[in-house]
Amino acid sequence: SSANWYRDMKFNKTGIILNTENYQACVTFYGEILGLAQLYQIDRPGETLTCFDMGGAYLMVETGGTSQPEGKTLETCPVKFRFNVDDVSDAAAELMARGVGVTVKEHDWGTTGEFHDPDGNRCALRSDRDFGG
């Protein structure tokens, strides 16, 4: 039935488009600081973007966003990029050594390391242990 059309959809790829004000700083951040593998880059009139592999999904960084370098809040940025790692403390220390401010928090369900990209978008590390449990 047409009410169940979504059950039959076959997505080849899924991803997120992130419009940025500080495009080059964000490309450097996701590529060099976080170490996401670059899939491709386009730089032609009217179209500037860099696409990264984000654990099987893609993160397409484009121009045209709004920056809040002090860090966006939940109200101004309802999406958070989450990166699961084996050891949040080790990963946070590595990011801090690369100049990223990270706040590590212990929760009863795991550990997180909260930080922002150069446009102030919310990002976090998360302990992979007990994920989904």
Side-chain angles (χ1 to χ4, degrees):
S1 92
S2 62
N4 295 326
W5 66 267
Y6 58 88
R7 291 183 189 167
D8 297 324
M9 291 189 71
K10 304 291 186 235
F11 296 112
N12 294 325
K13 292 189 183 344
T14 58
I16 297 168
I17 296 174
L18 178 64
N19 293 96
T20 61
E21 183 173 340
N22 298 299
Y23 169 77
Q24 193 55 56
C26 287
V27 167
T28 298
F29 179 81
Y30 288 104
E32 296 178 21
I33 306 287
L34 291 186
L36 299 183
Q38 182 176 310
L39 298 173
Y40 62 90
Q41 189 168 38
I42 296 173
D43 189 4
R44 56 186 170 227
E47 188 176 27
T48 302
L49 62 89
T50 302
C51 192
F52 296 99
D53 176 42
M54 194 168 70
Y58 62 83
L59 172 63
M60 188 175 292
V61 179
E62 297 188 15
T63 58
T66 302
S67 172
Q68 289 183 339
E70 69 281 3
K72 296 176 183 176
T73 65
L74 178 63
E75 292 75 26
T76 58
C77 184
V79 172
K80 179 186 289 186
F81 294 115
R82 170 89 53 84
F83 302 94
N84 287 20
V85 295
D86 288 332
D87 189 313
V88 171
S89 294
D90 283 353
E94 180 64 31
L95 287 178
M96 288 187 272
R98 296 177 185 191
V100 179
V102 182
T103 303
V104 176
K105 298 178 181 179
E106 298 290 336
H107 308 275
D108 57 357
W109 45 263
T111 307
T112 60
E114 307 289 326
F115 59 99
H116 295 93
D117 75 6
D119 264 14
N121 295 303
R122 300 176 331 119
C123 300
L125 303 168
R126 192 227 194 264
S127 53
D128 200 47
R129 148 185 79 74
D130 297 330
F131 179 72

